[in-house]
Amino acid sequence: YINYRLETKPFNKLTFPSSITIQSNLSDRRVDTVAMAIANKVLKYDTLDIILVTSKLKSSKDFDLYAFIQKNPFKKHSYIIFIKNGVNISEIKRFLSHEMIHLEQVESGDLLILSNYVYSIYKNDTIFYEKIDYIDRPYEKEAFEKQTSILKQLNKILYKTN
């Protein structure tokens, strides 16, 4: 009920630096504002390039995949976030809150996501995907722990308070 009520409310008018760019193929144009608000107003970044792409993401035996982030290796502060087709704005806000924690982990140097999808390096520890369940990976634990706080901050920024 709460999520539906927020979904129908208009966003506050916000301004962002031109040094943050969001490109998106998602049909809901509010997604750009959500990503921009998390990046700039919540996480305090002033320079980022983010591409948001809908995708037919496949689930594994261990978890359902709704979104994931990939660093653009050819450009500093540049990322692609893949989001599963058919999700609503409330789900997108939750997924972006989570994925932007991973962006922050990468930007700080704590997380190195390798394109081989065999392992990642988190705070100088090698995390082999086959050996550690998704939910037990330390960078995922951190993202799940922080995403609710990010989402609460985001909603305060996006919606008018009476």
Side-chain angles (χ1 to χ4, degrees):
Y1 174 72
I2 293 170
N3 285 339
Y4 175 76
R5 203 173 57 194
L6 287 180
E7 279 184 35
T8 60
K9 289 179 84 173
F11 288 171
N12 289 331
K13 292 186 192 264
L14 303 168
T15 58
F16 302 103
S18 60
S19 52
I20 295 181
T21 62
I22 306 287
Q23 297 175 46
S24 173
N25 77 344
L26 280 77
S27 59
D28 192 330
R29 300 313 322 157
R30 296 176 296 175
V31 173
D32 300 19
T33 303
V34 169
M36 196 81 84
I38 294 171
N40 180 248
K41 305 297 185 200
V42 177
L43 299 177
K44 307 298 184 197
Y45 287 101
D46 59 4
T47 303
L48 284 173
D49 291 316
I50 299 172
I51 300 171
L52 303 169
V53 180
T54 58
S55 182
K56 292 180 181 179
L57 300 178
K58 295 182 180 179
S59 299
S60 77
K61 62 182 171 85
D62 298 323
F63 60 90
D64 290 329
L65 185 60
Y66 291 98
F68 74 94
I69 190 167
Q70 190 172 20
K71 177 143 181 40
N72 179 348
F74 304 109
K75 188 174 182 185
K76 277 184 138 185
H77 314 296
S78 181
Y79 297 85
I80 302 169
I81 299 176
F82 298 88
I83 299 174
K84 189 173 188 172
N85 287 332
V87 295
N88 65 40
I89 192 68
S90 291
E91 293 170 315
I92 288 170
K93 288 190 302 185
R94 185 168 46 103
F95 301 149
L96 286 177
S97 294
H98 182 95
E99 295 308 319
M100 295 294 270
I101 297 298
H102 293 315
L103 180 147
E104 189 172 48
Q105 292 166 335
V106 172
E107 284 291 306
S108 71
D110 284 348
L111 179 61
L112 176 61
I113 302 171
L114 302 169
S115 61
N116 64 10
Y117 300 107
V118 174
Y119 67 94
S120 290
I121 299 171
Y122 180 69
K123 296 186 177 178
N124 296 320
D125 287 334
T126 303
I127 310 298
F128 288 93
Y129 298 152
E130 287 187 6
K131 293 183 180 182
I132 299 177
D133 288 340
Y134 168 81
I135 200 73
D136 293 326
R137 296 173 190 160
Y139 53 89
E140 292 297 346
K141 284 183 175 184
E142 180 182 8
F144 280 113
E145 287 170 6
K146 291 182 175 181
Q147 78 181 31
T148 300
S149 172
I150 298 292
L151 187 54
K152 285 180 182 178
Q153 292 174 66
L154 173 67
N155 282 332
K156 284 182 182 177
I157 292 164
L158 290 178
Y159 299 104
K160 293 179 180 174
T161 55
N162 297 333

